[in-house]
Amino acid sequence: MLRDLEDLDWGKVLEKLSTYAGRRLYGFGLCDSGSQVTKGEELAAEAIKHLFDTETKEREVSTEGELTEALGSIVNGLVSNLTRKSSTRREILCGDFYEDQLGDDERSPEQRIIDHNLSEKVMDVVLSRIEGDELLENIFFSTIDGEKPREQAEKLGIDVQDIYNARRRLKDHFRAVRKLVQSEMEEHTK
Amino acid sequence: MKKKSNEEENGTNVEELLDRDVLAEDYPHEMIEDELRGLGAKPEEIRERGRFLARSLFRKQWKARAQIRMEQMGDLGKNSPEFSELSREQLLFRLDEVKNSSVGQPVTTFFRKRKKEEASEEELRELLREIHLLREMENNKV
């Protein structure tokens, strides 16, 4: 029950969720970096309201972890709805979650090829950028293998906070490269 | 379900997984605040809005439940006093009196993360009406 979570610091919940929603919106090209937090906060607040409105879901949420999971899923659903309405997509729609959300792939065959090429190029450029940075390379490949940050920290014998810092750097690489590659491709198709 | 190539699947999943880090329970909160500040936001203001939002949603939820119970009770609660004659000090005094009683939960919840001076007189009256209703329910064993 949500009532069990009344003592939770909901201020921190909104901070966390706004950051996540902002990252997703920006990743999908649905906002620029200047409006990322504002738009993220709007979406996060909508997700929280949605959770309170849905009586059936309410019963399933009684711990902070479950709450964050539920809110994260609602944010993903809301972002997915916005993506459908938007003609611009910086991120490629794939992976189980988006398959579940969208059902059949709505992209045209041409768009799929463009997305595939874009994705391959992004991966190549990110890998070349992090070449020589042992920590980032390690995190990159172990993340693909499904390792969680805590597991990575244990394996590498370093603090989990250092892992999160490194993952943040890796994320920034992805973001920068995707932006660059996409603008190159757009230029090319003109 | 269509099968995607490993590169395509991994490319997106890595980014998505990295984005999801902030939702992890052990993700350092100061990193979230740093990121928000870096994007030009004021984390303390977001926190304040989050607390306000949750307070109002919990309150709305509580009122909805009370409403359902009231409907189940029929006429009970129909003639709740308005407490319009009471001053701010008197309202606060009454709420203080019931705070530790069996029907004092809404008062504790209301003031959990909020100072008395932040509450408007209308909110205090509304709270007293809720207490009144709870007392009626208790007396009628609903």
Side-chain angles (χ1 to χ4, degrees), chain A residues 15 44-47 56-57 67 73 80 102 106 113 128 131 145 148 165 184 187:
Chain A
E15 271 182 301
E46 204 180 321
T56 46
K57 280 201 175 161
L67 173 81
S73 296
S80 183
L102 293 173
E106 294 174 348
I113 291 166
S128 69
E131 201 180 342
D145 289 340
K148 301 272 185 308
N165 273 321
E184 268 178 22
E187 199 63 38

Side-chain angles (χ1 to χ4, degrees), chain B residues 61-75:
Chain B
Q61 213 179 35
W62 189 89
K63 279 172 90 172
R65 279 197 295 270
Q67 185 67 38
I68 292 167
R69 290 179 73 178
M70 229 171 93
E71 281 162 14
Q72 288 167 348
M73 288 187 310
D75 284 346

Side-chain angles (χ1 to χ4, degrees), chain A residues 136-187:
Chain A
L136 285 200
E137 281 183 334
N138 210 313
I139 286 175
F140 181 91
F141 290 112
S142 57
T143 301
I144 289 176
D145 289 340
E147 272 183 29
K148 301 272 185 308
R150 189 157 286 281
E151 292 165 342
Q152 292 169 340
E154 277 167 21
K155 202 174 84 181
L156 297 168
I158 57 175
D159 195 275
V160 73
Q161 181 152 356
D162 294 330
I163 294 288
Y164 280 127
N165 273 321
R167 288 170 68 95
R168 172 95 191 270
R169 280 199 293 130
L170 185 57
K171 194 180 94 64
D172 291 342
H173 277 297
F174 263 106
R175 181 167 289 202
V177 170
R178 191 169 283 282
K179 204 172 172 182
L180 193 76
V181 171
Q182 183 134 33
S183 63
E184 268 178 22
M185 286 181 90
E186 278 167 5
E187 199 63 38

Side-chain angles (χ1 to χ4, degrees), chain A:
Chain A
M1 297 283 285
L2 270 177
R3 260 179 293 176
D4 298 336
L5 296 167
E6 215 169 322
D7 283 336
L8 205 69
D9 188 343
W10 285 82
K12 286 188 174 177
V13 173
L14 185 67
E15 271 182 301
K16 189 180 259 228
L17 202 62
S18 301
T19 310
Y20 176 64
R23 284 177 171 197
R24 295 274 78 204
L25 287 170
Y26 184 85
F28 278 100
L30 294 164
C31 67
D32 55 27
S33 58
S35 62
Q36 184 179 334
V37 181
T38 319
K39 299 274 181 200
E41 188 183 334
E42 280 171 16
L43 203 76
E46 204 180 321
I48 293 174
K49 284 179 195 162
H50 185 85
L51 188 78
F52 274 76
D53 280 344
T54 317
E55 287 292 322
T56 46
K57 280 201 175 161
E58 184 198 338
R59 287 183 212 109
E60 293 161 17
V61 176
S62 55
T63 65
E64 192 173 349
E66 286 171 3
L67 173 81
T68 317
E69 269 302 307
L71 288 172
S73 296
I74 297 172
V75 164
N76 287 339
L78 294 171
V79 171
S80 183
N81 288 343
L82 289 171
T83 313
R84 279 184 225 221
K85 291 176 197 164
S86 168
S87 57
T88 55
R89 281 180 188 165
R90 251 177 227 170
E91 241 177 18
I92 298 154
L93 299 178
C94 65
D96 290 344
F97 172 76
Y98 295 107
E99 291 283 2
D100 292 346
Q101 291 293 308
L102 293 173
D104 285 335
D105 195 333
E106 294 174 348
R107 294 173 295 169
S108 66
E110 294 80 9
Q111 188 59 45
R112 259 182 266 154
I113 291 166
I114 292 169
D115 285 349
H116 177 78
N117 291 342
L118 174 64
S119 182
E120 266 191 346
K121 195 158 184 194
V122 168
M123 294 283 279
D124 288 346
V125 180
V126 169
L127 275 170
S128 69
R129 275 172 74 129
I130 64 171
E131 201 180 342
D133 189 328
E134 220 175 293
L135 180 60
L136 285 200
E137 281 183 334
N138 210 313
I139 286 175
F140 181 91
F141 290 112
S142 57
T143 301
I144 289 176
D145 289 340
E147 272 183 29
K148 301 272 185 308
R150 189 157 286 281
E151 292 165 342
Q152 292 169 340
E154 277 167 21
K155 202 174 84 181
L156 297 168
I158 57 175
D159 195 275
V160 73
Q161 181 152 356
D162 294 330
I163 294 288
Y164 280 127
N165 273 321
R167 288 170 68 95
R168 172 95 191 270
R169 280 199 293 130
L170 185 57
K171 194 180 94 64
D172 291 342
H173 277 297
F174 263 106
R175 181 167 289 202
V177 170
R178 191 169 283 282
K179 204 172 172 182
L180 193 76
V181 171
Q182 183 134 33
S183 63
E184 268 178 22
M185 286 181 90
E186 278 167 5
E187 199 63 38
H188 186 71
T189 50
K190 268 182 192 171

Side-chain angles (χ1 to χ4, degrees), chain B residues 4-5 8 18 27 31 39 51 55 58 61 64 76 78 81 90 97 100-101 104 108 140:
Chain B
K4 303 272 165 24
S5 72
E8 188 180 6
L18 296 173
Y27 191 83
M31 277 178 71
L39 289 162
R51 286 168 191 153
R55 258 199 316 266
F58 275 115
Q61 213 179 35
L76 198 59
K78 230 177 181 177
Q90 287 169 320
E97 270 185 334
N100 296 320
S101 73
T108 318
N140 288 276

